[in-house]
Amino acid sequence: AVYSVTNANPNVAKAVVVDGTFRGTANYVYVTDSYIGTKNVNGEEVYTYPVVFEDGAAGTLSINRDNVVDGMAYEYTVDSNGVAAVQVTGLIRNGFVSTYAKGSNLSVRTGNGKPDTTVTSYTVLSNANLWNVEGEPYAETLTNDMSMCFITDSDGFVKTVFVNDTNATLTTNISA
């Protein structure tokens, strides 16, 4: 920092120099398939994955690792080189829709959707993004018998859903 000395305030900063890495803001993405290409960015091998973003747009994301599992949702941040780092956080869940009352409660069997798994209820936000990602993404209406990945906000309300199977049954093995 560069300081200016005056009688009124002897240590007021005129400028602050920050030396660090831009990390971006956290967003969420659903990976639809294994990586489709690689490239080198500043000496680092980067992998290009087909994805669906939270706004329902299909695209690709350059990710800094090759072991990203398709059929899963991830939180991601993009650095100043345009390379994403992904992680699974506690706000991302996978499950099987047991019941859904439009605009309110969603009961989900978390984990692999087997009959002995836990059923948890969530409230879906009225402005939640609901996407079918079985092919080209499109807006989806939640019903029973769906397999999905979903993201909650910090208060536990569902804000984004990626439906990956609209013809699931209770004993269908789904992503855990």
Side-chain angles (χ1 to χ4, degrees), residues 78-91:
V78 178
D79 67 17
S80 60
N81 295 314
V83 178
V86 298
Q87 64 179 342
V88 174
T89 69
L91 301 177

Side-chain angles (χ1 to χ4, degrees), residues 30-162:
Y30 179 85
V31 176
T32 60
D33 206 346
S34 57
Y35 68 88
I36 56 174
T38 61
K39 61 184 176 182
N40 189 292
V41 177
N42 293 334
E44 178 184 15
E45 192 76 14
V46 176
Y47 304 85
T48 303
Y49 286 86
V51 298
V52 176
F53 295 94
E54 278 186 286
D55 66 359
T60 59
L61 190 62
S62 296
I63 299 176
N64 63 356
R65 60 183 217 206
D66 67 349
N67 61 347
V68 175
V69 178
D70 64 353
M72 296 285 292
Y74 293 88
E75 178 182 307
Y76 74 96
T77 54
V78 178
D79 67 17
S80 60
N81 295 314
V83 178
V86 298
Q87 64 179 342
V88 174
T89 69
L91 301 177
I92 300 171
R93 294 172 174 80
N94 296 288
F96 172 85
V97 178
S98 293
T99 58
Y100 178 64
K102 184 169 177 58
S104 58
N105 290 335
L106 173 68
S107 294
V108 177
R109 279 193 190 278
T110 54
N112 66 8
K114 299 291 183 190
D116 60 340
T117 55
T118 304
V119 175
T120 307
S121 292
Y122 299 90
T123 298
V124 179
L125 294 171
S126 62
N127 63 345
N129 295 314
L130 309 173
W131 305 112
N132 183 302
V133 294
E134 292 178 288
E136 285 298 314
Y138 61 89
E140 180 63 89
T141 301
L142 293 178
T143 63
N144 296 347
D145 301 328
M146 289 182 158
S147 173
M148 64 180 180
C149 295
F150 63 103
I151 294 108
T152 59
D153 64 14
S154 59
D155 294 322
F157 297 111
V158 176
K159 68 178 199 159
T160 304
V161 175
F162 299 106

